[in-house]
Amino acid sequence: MVEGVQHRQAETGKRYDVFHTDCPARDVVDHVTSRWGIWVLISLRSNSLRFYELRESIQGVSEKMLAQTLRALVQDGLIWREVEPTTPPQVTYGLTEFGRDIGEPLTELFDRITRRLSPHGAG
C-alpha cells in the first residue's frame, strides 16, 4: 500500500500568500526546511530507501525525529510510503513527482555549498 497526498497544480496566476499564517504552503515550506526535512529529500534524490537505510544515511537523526519528519513529508505529498506486509513490516520511502521538483533545487544548493567548502572543513 502506497500512502501520499495528491496535490493539484495551482490555477495559472493564482499564488499563495506565504506570509499569511493560514497559508497552507507555509506548512510545506516549514517541513521541507526543517532540520531533517532537507536531508530526507536529499537522501531520497537517487532512489527509494527503507526506514533503516534513511536513518543510517542521515547521521545524527533519532528514530523519533526521522519518523515525525517522514510522516509530515508524506502528508505534504513530497514523499510516498510503501508498507510490505511482512513480519516485521518493511517500510520504503521515495520521492513523489512533487518531492523531486522541490528536492532538485535543494540538491543543487547542497552541491554548490560543498563545492565551495575547503576539504579541510568538510566532515
Side-chain angles (χ1 to χ4, degrees):
M1 172 190 349
V2 177
E3 298 175 27
V5 177
Q6 293 295 321
H7 287 275
R8 288 179 284 124
Q9 196 79 21
E11 294 176 31
T12 306
K14 184 174 181 172
R15 306 282 297 182
Y16 286 107
D17 181 5
V18 295
F19 296 104
H20 192 279
T21 56
D22 293 337
C23 178
R26 211 169 160 156
D27 286 337
V28 175
V29 171
D30 286 345
H31 296 151
V32 168
T33 60
S34 71
R35 179 168 183 188
W36 303 112
I38 291 173
W39 301 118
V40 168
L41 293 175
I42 290 173
S43 293
L44 293 172
R45 71 181 177 252
S46 301
N47 53 5
S48 57
L49 297 171
R50 302 229 332 250
F51 182 88
Y52 77 91
E53 293 170 320
L54 268 169
R55 192 183 67 225
E56 288 177 6
S57 73
I58 306 170
Q59 294 186 5
V61 67
S62 68
E63 281 193 29
K64 178 183 176 184
M65 286 310 302
L66 180 57
Q68 287 177 358
T69 301
L70 290 168
R71 195 174 306 116
L73 294 174
V74 166
Q75 186 175 351
D76 292 339
L78 294 166
I79 62 175
W80 52 261
R81 176 181 188 265
E82 184 174 25
V83 180
E84 297 281 332
T86 57
T87 306
Q90 295 180 2
V91 183
T92 305
Y93 296 90
L95 293 177
T96 63
E97 183 181 338
F98 183 35
R100 283 190 300 278
D101 191 37
I102 298 301
E104 189 176 315
L106 296 175
T107 299
E108 185 179 321
L109 175 65
F110 175 75
D111 291 344
R112 285 181 182 205
I113 291 169
T114 56
R115 279 195 306 266
R116 292 284 188 147
L117 288 177
S118 132
H120 304 291

